[in-house]
Amino acid sequence: MTARTVFVAGGTSGINLGLAQRFAERGDRVAVLSRSQDKVDAAVASLGPEARGYAADVRDADAVNRAFTDVADTWGPIDVVVSGAAGNFVAPAADLSPGGFEAVVAIDLLGTFHVAKAAWPHLRKPGASIVNISAAQAWLPSPGQVHVSAAKSGVDQVTRTLAIEWGPAGVRINSVAPGPIRGTEGMARLAPTPSAEDAWTRAVPLGRFGEIDDVWQAVAWLTSDAASYVTGVVLSVDGGLSLGGSSAIAAAMGA
Ligand code: NAP
């Protein structure tokens, strides 16, 4: 299998780290970026001797640019970008400060734009593929999640718009929207108790939390030649959760 150059923004914990590790296992050269130097160091150590890491905030466009330039200077054109840096917490809109709303939109949405824009000059053209990590909240309004819904719906519109603008250069860009994934920080915040976990499980037609490997299978396909005619889609990997609409998520959130 040909080794590719892969950049995972927010790739130092949870789902994104799991994706970075699976790219490394298939023989790709992997770079990760996140704020915490300790998390970056631990992630790089788990990704093999060739891996590279950058302690940077996706809100800082210059820092993201420097990281992509360094990867391209070291390894050449970038084949795959996964953009998954995000923050989440539950807060009803009436209690949410402007700063809290702004922080999530800045990390998830502005950060996704910074990552794509920093990647663009260094992408392999034709052939590169970008996957933005979205969420069902992007199209299902969810109680306590106005900041996430606003940010992730914007992420999906970045996906669709860049698919149109960058398609002629042979660059594909898609979103993957995971459902509740077991053992992640995101679900620790949305389902902090066993009864909350049960409520989420009942909201999923397939009757279980997803695994990081479920997300990987979708990302592996979207970034492979098998998906060479697929761009601008939002692929749910959620066990059918989103089929239940906003009421399913509201029930899961105990609203
Ligand atoms: P997680 O473990 O908290 O991972 C988030 C990653 O983003 C970490 O590596 C974090 O590292 C990094 N990050 C956060 N803010 C950043 C910033 N400002 N600049 C750079 N990096 C930043 O989260 P997760 O639960 O696995 O979620 C991963 C992705 O999947 C997110 O996009 C999330 O919205 C999406 N998702 C998750 C679920 C789920 O079930 N967990 C469901 C739907 C969608 P640092 O702290 O070092 O910055």
Side-chain angles (χ1 to χ4, degrees):
M1 216 176 297
T2 316
R4 302 169 303 181
T5 294
V6 177
F7 193 111
V8 184
T12 63
S13 65
I15 295 170
N16 304 323
L17 174 61
L19 298 176
Q21 289 168 335
R22 283 159 179 79
F23 280 115
E25 282 161 18
R26 82 172 279 293
D28 294 327
R29 298 170 291 270
V30 182
V32 292
L33 175 150
S34 86
R35 293 165 300 181
S36 154
Q37 185 71 60
D38 287 350
K39 286 172 71 173
V40 168
D41 291 344
V44 166
S46 78
L47 294 169
E50 267 207 284
R52 300 184 77 79
Y54 303 89
D57 193 315
V58 290
R59 290 171 286 192
D60 179 348
D62 291 340
V64 177
N65 278 332
R66 282 194 296 275
F68 273 93
T69 300
D70 190 62
V71 168
D73 286 349
T74 308
W75 288 333
I78 296 170
D79 299 289
V80 173
V81 177
V82 175
S83 196
N88 194 6
F89 52 87
V90 178
D95 301 333
L96 179 62
S97 70
F101 185 95
E102 186 179 343
V104 170
V105 171
I107 296 170
D108 295 24
L109 177 53
L110 192 57
T112 296
F113 177 68
H114 287 160
V115 167
K117 199 164 156 46
W120 168 252
H122 308 295
L123 293 173
R124 190 180 300 284
K125 304 181 191 84
S129 171
I130 300 174
V131 174
N132 292 328
I133 305 298
S134 183
Q137 290 95 319
W139 63 97
L140 297 179
S142 312
Q145 294 279 272
V146 65
H147 42 313
V148 175
S149 286
K152 292 292 195 182
S153 61
V155 167
D156 288 346
Q157 287 300 71
V158 169
T159 293
R160 296 182 181 104
T161 307
L162 297 191
I164 292 170
E165 291 194 9
W166 294 357
V171 172
R172 298 183 299 108
I173 176 162
N174 296 287
S175 287
V176 164
I181 303 302
R182 183 193 311 282
T184 58
E185 179 63 26
M187 286 319 293
R189 291 179 180 232
L190 295 185
T193 63
S195 68
E197 278 189 26
D198 287 348
W200 274 93
T201 304
R202 282 194 301 276
V204 175
L206 288 181
R208 66 170 176 88
F209 272 38
E211 305 293 337
I212 290 175
D213 207 52
D214 293 315
V215 183
W216 163 246
Q217 294 300 335
V219 171
W221 175 68
L222 281 172
T223 56
S224 76
D225 288 344
S228 64
Y229 203 49
V230 179
T231 195
V233 307
V234 178
L235 179 57
S236 292
V237 183
D238 67 356
L241 169 76
S242 47
L243 298 172
S246 290
S247 55
I249 296 204
M253 303 272 298

